[in-house]
Amino acid sequence: MPDTPPSLSPQDALVAVMIAVSASDENMRTSELVAIQRMVNHMPVFADYDTDRLRPVAQTVFDLFEEEDGLDALFGLIRDALPDRLFETAYALACDVAAADGQLNEVELRMLEEVRNELSIDRLHAVAIEWSARVRHLKP
């Protein structure tokens, strides 16, 4: 099965969500990439993560974005890899990446909505996570 995407670890799945949000508008900004790198380097959930996995996980996301049903396949991989207790973490990381450049465009907002729906994030929790990301990334 050469076309079968590789399975992901829980940390890979978190990285995949962040990469997907950043790449959703086909413009991965430096601020978004720096945010991803910072979170991978400093968050406890990534404490034992091999950062050499970043590139292959990103390539998996890019490859799936090229396929007709690639987004569905990506979310299937993410749901398979992530324990339910990390669904809100994934959404929080996605929001932080989207907010990293200080602006949210329509494509990023749709991708966040997709993440929220695919991971069944409670609406009230989603609002709190979104607000938290927004205030963390405000510019003076």
Side-chain angles (χ1 to χ4, degrees):
M1 287 184 262
D3 289 354
T4 303
S7 62
L8 302 176
S9 72
Q11 291 93 345
D12 287 339
L14 294 172
V15 168
V17 169
M18 292 189 288
I19 296 289
V21 169
S22 180
S24 65
D25 63 356
E26 299 178 359
N27 184 10
M28 294 183 76
R29 291 175 183 78
T30 302
S31 56
E32 294 169 341
L33 297 174
V34 168
I36 293 168
Q37 190 69 52
R38 186 186 71 244
M39 288 184 272
V40 169
N41 287 338
H42 298 288
M43 292 191 70
V45 74
F46 293 109
D48 61 350
Y49 187 63
D50 177 3
T51 56
D52 290 341
R53 296 278 309 139
L54 288 169
R55 224 178 261 290
V57 170
Q59 192 58 56
T60 297
V61 173
F62 302 147
D63 291 347
L64 287 170
F65 271 14
E66 296 296 320
E67 295 181 16
E68 187 174 330
D69 294 322
L71 194 56
D72 290 337
L74 176 63
F75 281 115
L77 285 172
I78 289 166
R79 280 191 311 274
D80 288 348
L82 270 184
D84 292 357
R85 66 182 180 77
L86 291 180
F87 281 11
E88 288 178 340
T89 301
Y91 188 62
L93 296 175
C95 288
D96 276 347
V97 169
D101 63 359
Q103 56 191 4
L104 289 171
N105 63 45
E106 197 60 39
V107 176
E108 288 173 321
L109 290 171
R110 280 197 307 272
M111 179 58 88
L112 288 175
E113 180 180 12
E114 190 75 25
V115 172
R116 191 170 58 242
N117 292 335
E118 290 286 341
L119 299 181
S120 302
I121 304 297
D122 176 86
R123 187 64 197 136
L124 187 58
H125 295 185
V127 169
I129 291 167
E130 292 159 8
W131 178 82
S132 178
R134 184 183 63 79
V135 299
R136 271 196 307 280
H137 294 279
L138 283 177
K139 294 181 180 174

